Amino acid sequence: MGTMMETIVNDTMPKTTKSPEEIIYLFNTKEVDEDWSFVEHKPSDTGKWTHDYHRYPAKFIPQLVERLIDEYISHKEAHINDPFMGCGTTIVTAISRGFKASGTDINKIAHLITKVKSTPIDPEYLNRKIKQFLSTLKFLNEPQESLFEERIEPLIPQNHIDRINYWFTEDNKNKLGEILRVIHNEEDKTIRDFFLVAFSHILKNCSVWLQGSTKPTRDLKKNPVKPYDALRKHLTKMQSGNNSFYKVVPAKVRENIDEYLNIEVGDARRQPVPDENVDLVVTSSPYVTSYEYADLHQLSTIWLDLTDDLTEYKKEFIGTSYKKYENKRLRSSIALDIVDKMSKKSKKMAKEIEAFFIDMDEVFDESFRILKHGGRCCYVIGDTKLKGVDVLNAEVFAESLQYSGFKLDRIIKREIPSKILPQKRDEKTGRFANNREANSEAYPIEYIVIGLKE
């Protein structure tokens, strides 16, 4: 590790601080804990309740969150936080237990998905609303000749018309626009948001986006799904999920959801929570070069008109290739060593990695601020390899948590479950690739790095 050990330990470090060498040894000798693989759970288990409302890259399964809550929460009035809430697995789980839930995501579509997935709706009321909605749109399912007098003025965001024309056929573009117009005419915001999530979910199948691809690639031979058919089918699935979720959420939470659900579009480094208010943080942070996440959601971003400028929007994401810092320094010696090795291969990527770990230092500081004494933060993260350099994300997290004041409490090594993102990277570019093209496992296993605020 060279001179890595010369880093001076911060005064806030716990007395039980582990050195970088000890951390590396811990990870190298750690065995996979098969109890945390959850291989016995079928897709119907991991997609229970509202968890299958919307496709989302690299989401972790609710069973993992439930297990962490079972191990670390023993009282009924807990507060669970997720600074990178993504599609809301942690938030939904907390609400299902009757706990307060808070969190952020810089991705506006992620915020919308989480809000809808975490908000149980009275099943009878939702059933009536869905029937009315589909009845208004039923003309979309009739022969073309009968449409002339019944057409609704399509709502198509003109800010992004070029991108919409790029991804959608003229027919599907207009039909989606008509659906969006009817959604926006819905006065009940909870129901409107529910419909928007269904709308967002079907966009990929209704476009010429290459099916199964995580990169924005067109397939001009693709026969896109008809929007009405896709929407009706997915609404049926969402309705079933809501009915199940409604039954498990305690009545006190259903009737006072605003008192229990506190989520915002925002930076993970600034949580909407007072000091020492949270019992448990459970999150899966982005990885280096996570700007792919913004690309993956661009269809939803343009149709829901969530930004004026896609390029500027991407720059806000932690892990983006656009971020570089000249006036901030890394605290982790392991991170410094990784950046040094990468700089010999690619100075640009070295700067990206450095910026990612600097951002994460501030996220760990924020977790420490909001947690009660005796509370824990649980970060789910995997290691990877970029341009032949081992990027030891989990080891860096373990060391960095200590600089934020945490005691390194536990490391769980688990086999990665099936995730939507491919499990392979191209070693030269570091970008995700499909299994046929890739030559390197991206995250063969992952860790849960747990810090304790004593």
Side-chain angles (χ1 to χ4, degrees):
M1 305 290 290
T3 59
M4 191 173 73
M5 307 309 301
E6 295 173 12
T7 300
I8 298 172
V9 172
N10 185 314
D11 286 341
T12 64
M13 281 278 208
K15 294 178 183 177
T16 52
T17 298
K18 296 190 183 300
S19 70
E21 287 177 336
E22 289 176 301
I23 288 170
I24 296 292
Y25 178 79
L26 268 176
F27 277 86
N28 285 342
T29 57
K30 193 74 182 172
E31 296 290 332
V32 170
D33 190 334
E34 294 181 0
D35 288 342
W36 287 83
S37 66
F38 306 105
V39 291
E40 70 276 15
H41 290 283
K42 305 185 296 293
S44 58
D45 299 324
T46 57
K48 65 181 179 178
W49 306 336
T50 62
H51 290 296
D52 262 356
Y53 272 17
H54 200 289
R55 62 169 58 84
Y56 204 87
K59 60 183 179 181
F60 55 32
I61 59 177
Q63 285 73 22
L64 185 151
V65 183
E66 290 169 350
R67 175 79 177 272
L68 289 168
I69 289 175
D70 288 341
E71 297 219 358
Y72 295 120
I73 299 297
S74 58
H75 52 287
K76 296 181 179 179
E77 301 296 328
H79 180 168
I80 314 295
N81 173 265
D82 185 348
F84 299 102
M85 62 191 182
C87 65
T89 303
T90 295
I91 306 297
V92 170
T93 304
I95 292 296
S96 77
R97 297 289 184 96
F99 298 152
K100 289 186 177 179
S102 63
T104 53
D105 205 291
I106 202 72
N107 187 347
K108 293 176 182 177
I109 187 62
H111 175 264
L112 176 65
I113 295 168
T114 297
K115 182 180 177 185
V116 170
K117 286 172 63 173
S118 306
T119 304
I121 304 172
D122 177 81
E124 290 186 12
Y125 177 63
L126 180 61
N127 184 51
R128 287 200 308 273
K129 283 293 187 179
I130 290 175
K131 282 185 175 179
Q132 290 169 4
F133 177 60
L134 291 175
S135 176
T136 306
L137 290 167
K138 70 176 185 289
F139 70 88
L140 291 174
N141 207 34
E142 294 173 0
Q144 189 71 27
E145 306 84 66
S146 66
L147 299 183
F148 295 109
E149 294 182 2
E150 301 182 70
R151 297 297 290 223
I152 293 169
E153 179 66 27
L155 177 57
I156 302 171
Q158 294 305 301
N159 285 346
H160 307 292
I161 191 65
D162 290 343
R163 298 305 297 166
I164 290 172
N165 287 335
Y166 180 82
W167 287 113
F168 296 88
T169 64
E170 188 70 12
D171 186 46
N172 269 10
K173 176 183 75 172
N174 287 320
K175 286 178 177 176
L176 286 165
E178 289 169 318
I179 290 169
L180 192 60
R181 176 72 68 186
V182 175
I183 292 173
H184 277 272
N185 287 341
E186 170 57 55
E187 294 181 357
D188 185 328
K189 190 174 188 308
T190 299
I191 299 297
R192 185 165 70 244
D193 287 345
F194 185 90
F195 291 155
L196 283 173
V197 166
F199 177 86
S200 172
H201 175 82
I202 69 169
L203 288 173
K204 199 173 204 179
N205 290 346
C206 296
S207 73
V208 294
W209 188 297
L210 178 63
Q211 209 64 27
S213 174
T214 56
K215 295 183 285 188
T217 307
R218 288 200 300 178
D219 176 7
L220 298 179
K221 295 180 180 178
K222 178 180 173 183
N223 185 21
V225 175
K226 293 180 179 178
Y228 181 86
D229 292 341
L231 187 68
R232 179 176 48 79
K233 183 177 179 181
H234 193 60
L235 279 172
T236 299
K237 185 176 184 178
M238 288 177 67
Q239 183 177 9
S240 175
N242 172 76
N243 294 351
S244 300
F245 187 52
Y246 190 86
K247 291 175 184 175
V248 300
V249 176
K252 64 174 184 177
V253 179
R254 295 199 309 258
E255 294 161 10
N256 303 280
I257 191 66
D258 290 341
E259 293 180 19
Y260 286 86
L261 186 62
N262 179 19
I263 59 173
E264 293 183 359
V265 175
D267 194 312
R269 296 169 293 183
R270 289 179 286 279
Q271 292 303 296
V273 176
D275 293 356
E276 300 184 2
N277 201 260
V278 169
D279 298 279
L280 184 68
V281 173
V282 180
T283 193
S284 179
S285 76
Y287 290 74
V288 178
T289 67
S290 70
Y291 48 93
E292 292 141 328
Y293 282 63
D295 282 334
L296 281 166
H297 292 123
Q298 68 168 280
L299 299 184
S300 300
T301 302
I302 59 180
W303 268 103
L304 303 189
D305 205 13
L306 300 178
T307 182
D308 291 329
D309 188 323
L310 278 170
T311 302
E312 289 300 315
Y313 182 53
K314 289 185 204 176
K315 293 180 182 180
E316 300 174 20
F317 287 61
I318 284 182
T320 174
S321 62
Y322 297 99
K323 279 195 177 182
K324 295 173 182 61
Y325 293 118
E326 302 299 334
N327 58 346
K328 295 181 180 180
R329 295 182 59 191
L330 281 170
R331 298 186 296 208
S332 162
S333 297
I334 302 172
L336 285 166
D337 192 54
I338 294 166
V339 171
D340 181 58
K341 288 175 180 173
M342 182 58 75
S343 65
K344 296 177 174 63
K345 301 287 185 76
S346 166
K347 291 196 182 318
K348 179 178 181 293
M349 192 163 280
K351 282 290 185 185
E352 291 173 20
I353 293 171
E354 180 183 52
F356 169 71
F357 286 133
I358 287 172
D359 282 340
M360 289 307 303
D361 281 344
E362 295 183 27
V363 176
F364 300 144
D365 288 347
E366 183 70 346
S367 288
F368 191 83
R369 179 188 72 80
I370 66 175
L371 275 167
K372 299 172 183 175
H373 289 281
R376 287 174 173 83
C377 63
C378 307
Y379 280 84
V380 181
I381 190 75
D383 292 343
T384 191
K385 180 177 282 194
L386 298 173
K387 294 187 178 292
V389 176
D390 290 318
V391 182
L392 307 177
N393 294 305
E395 288 88 332
V396 172
F397 280 26
E399 183 187 4
S400 296
L401 282 171
Q402 296 181 125
Y403 279 100
S404 294
F406 289 102
K407 172 187 174 183
L408 182 56
D409 188 51
R410 185 180 180 189
I411 299 163
I412 300 168
K413 184 177 183 179
R414 64 185 297 267
E415 293 175 340
I416 281 191
S418 174
K419 290 189 176 179
I420 294 173
L421 274 182
Q423 303 308 309
K424 297 198 180 259
R425 282 190 186 271
D426 184 290
E427 283 193 353
K428 289 183 180 179
T429 64
R431 298 297 297 270
F432 287 111
N434 65 39
N435 288 336
R436 293 193 310 276
E437 298 171 350
N439 52 24
S440 172
E441 289 290 332
Y443 312 117
I445 51 94
E446 68 184 2
Y447 299 91
I448 308 173
V449 181
I450 302 175
L452 170 66
K453 180 174 178 177
E454 294 183 302

